[in-house]
Amino acid sequence: MLRISTFSTAIATASNQPGLRHWLAALLLAFITMSGLSYINFLPALVSALAGEIGFSEVQAGQIVALNGYGALCGSSLAIFLVRNIRYRPVLMTALLLLASMDIATLWLDDFLLLLGWRFLAGLAGGLALGLGVALLARHPYPDRAFGALLFVQFSVGSLVIYLLPTLEAMLSAHAVFYVMASFAVLSLVFVCLLPTGRLLAVPAQAPGASLGSDRRSAVITVLLLLAAMLVYQIAASAIWAYAALIGTAAGIANETVSTTIAVTGMLGLLGALLPMMLGNRYGRLPWLIAGCVLSISAAVLLTFSGQGPYYTLALALLFFSWPAVQSFLLAATAVLDSTGRLATIAAVVSSIGLATGPLLASALITEGNFSQMLQVGASLFVVSLLLLYKPILWSGQHAKEA
């Protein structure tokens, strides 16, 4: 049996190129972090299940998902104050155990208001696990690659679950998606046991990204713009992602074809995540971020023509390719600006706000199966994100480079 007792060294030190220990550390932490908010990876399947056989309306499904996301926001906010002073193993295990229990218990809840509160609490536990996981990933010596691993795991899991879920629903019930979510939390409990013991203490003060005090005002502006860009991008992407399946069916595409299309095009997210994993910050982050935002804008525009199958497929392919790359590079930019991991945890909170707000915004913009207004707003938000990230990425690149 593989014993991973040397991962503390892998997280604390770096060589010129990442070794096997660095990759193993990144992948384990990526899966644990993913499981805290695993439903995001197959959000269309969750929304479709809630708005289908489980019996809620499309708007109610969006609200349930949004409350889960706001619970995650509170949990990640709590992690901000814990990352420097706690022993992460017992906290992570407690959060994941609560999350698994609440996901299973959801099967017996059919009252809308009760389910709203219950999923908020489940999100609270998952958000805490997410925040701690992000802090650990931020302290990885290769943050671009570590966050690329996170997005790689997310899109791998998302595509696989969306592809298998119809079969699982036939075998179990419409609640199969909650069985899957609980299973990920349980598996993450095992992975936590393989991680090193200790506290999430700050790394040495002279680590990359730790010396920004010489221009405090520019640093603050950089951080705020960077977080704003991340927030706006996540709102737009999650709004479209939440209703991706319903956009296809509303356009007259068969349910089975929609599920297959989402699963297959979602695999392109793996390629998008591989960019930061393989390249790191070797060629800079800005060109990839600009390209990713442009592709995302194109995806939102193309989805307005989703009645034609090729446009629907191409749009999802563009979105799924660009989303993980954009998020990985933005998270890595926050990691190099603060070596303690606290800023990355704040970024996780901001990301949770965006992920929760996107479905809620989308539910307010759709009218009787018409998604045009929502898609137009999504395209506009991608443009805003591109404008917001340009200067902070340039500034951070001048002050902090990958080790």
Side-chain angles (χ1 to χ4, degrees):
M1 177 180 178
L2 179 64
R3 294 182 60 84
I4 314 177
S5 58
T6 57
F7 275 9
S8 55
T9 304
I11 295 174
T13 62
S15 57
N16 291 331
Q17 292 294 330
L20 177 60
R21 292 178 301 168
H22 297 105
W23 287 117
L24 290 174
L27 290 171
L28 277 185
L29 289 171
F31 190 93
I32 293 167
T33 305
M34 176 279 301
S35 67
L37 216 60
S38 63
Y39 74 90
I40 291 297
N41 309 304
F42 38 89
L43 189 55
L46 176 59
V47 172
S48 296
L50 289 169
E53 293 186 21
I54 294 180
F56 297 104
S57 69
E58 294 176 356
V59 173
Q60 286 177 325
Q63 292 171 346
I64 291 170
V65 169
L67 261 292
N68 200 133
Y70 284 121
L73 162 64
C74 294
S76 298
S77 299
L78 178 61
I80 294 173
F81 303 100
L82 299 177
V83 293
R84 288 181 176 176
N85 303 307
I86 64 165
R87 299 186 66 85
Y88 66 85
R89 186 195 298 270
V91 179
L92 263 178
M93 294 187 71
T94 300
L96 290 168
L97 184 60
L98 285 173
L99 179 61
S101 302
M102 299 189 79
D103 284 340
I104 290 295
T106 300
L107 276 62
W108 291 277
L109 300 179
D110 55 11
D111 179 78
F112 174 64
L113 293 178
L114 180 59
L115 190 57
L116 282 178
W118 190 255
R119 292 315 304 173
F120 178 87
L121 294 176
L124 183 66
L128 178 58
L130 173 70
L132 295 178
V134 167
L136 283 167
L137 285 168
R139 293 186 56 195
H140 194 281
Y142 303 94
D144 293 273
R145 292 181 166 92
F147 285 114
L150 172 60
L151 274 295
F152 183 85
V153 169
Q154 286 182 327
F155 274 78
S156 299
V157 167
S159 296
L160 184 62
V161 171
I162 289 174
Y163 180 77
L164 294 177
L165 201 57
T167 302
L168 294 175
E169 288 176 343
M171 294 171 57
L172 301 171
S173 69
H175 290 88
V177 65
F178 292 104
Y179 285 109
V180 172
M181 292 158 61
S183 298
F184 288 145
V186 171
L187 184 56
S188 290
L189 281 170
V190 177
F191 289 165
V192 171
C193 295
L194 300 176
L195 292 174
T197 58
R199 295 177 181 271
L200 299 181
L201 299 177
V203 294
Q206 296 306 312
S211 56
L212 297 176
S214 60
D215 194 351
R216 183 74 177 177
R217 184 172 179 273
S218 294
V220 171
I221 293 174
T222 295
V223 168
L224 291 177
L225 288 175
L226 200 57
L227 294 177
M230 183 180 296
L231 172 66
V232 173
Y233 188 94
Q234 285 288 66
I235 290 174
S238 63
I240 297 173
W241 173 231
Y243 287 92
L246 296 179
I247 290 172
T249 54
I253 303 173
N255 285 332
E256 185 174 336
T257 301
V258 167
S259 295
T260 302
T261 300
I262 293 176
V264 172
T265 55
M267 297 298 289
L268 288 174
L270 304 181
L271 296 179
L274 280 173
L275 283 176
M277 283 181 69
M278 297 295 105
L279 299 178
N281 192 28
R282 189 179 307 167
Y283 303 108
R285 300 183 179 99
L286 187 59
W288 301 113
L289 286 168
I290 293 174
C293 287
V294 170
L295 292 179
S296 300
I297 295 166
S298 302
V301 173
L302 284 172
L303 279 173
T304 61
F305 304 99
S306 59
Q308 302 181 44
Y311 286 135
Y312 179 74
T313 302
L314 177 60
L316 293 184
L318 293 177
L319 179 62
F320 295 157
F321 176 77
S322 57
W323 191 0
V326 169
Q327 283 304 104
S328 297
F329 283 120
L330 287 177
L331 285 168
T334 66
V336 298
L337 291 174
D338 175 22
S339 57
T340 69
R342 176 170 286 186
L343 180 56
T345 306
I346 294 174
V349 172
V350 171
S351 181
S352 296
I353 295 174
L355 291 173
T357 303
L360 192 62
L361 175 64
S363 68
L365 293 175
I366 59 177
T367 54
E368 298 180 357
N370 188 336
F371 299 92
S372 296
Q373 185 179 4
M374 183 266 285
L375 292 169
Q376 291 165 6
V377 171
S380 301
L381 291 177
F382 284 135
V383 173
V384 172
S385 179
L386 175 58
L387 296 176
L388 288 171
L389 66 82
Y390 186 83
K391 293 186 92 171
I393 293 297
L394 276 180
W395 191 92
S396 64
Q398 294 169 357
H399 288 74
K401 294 184 179 180
E402 185 180 58

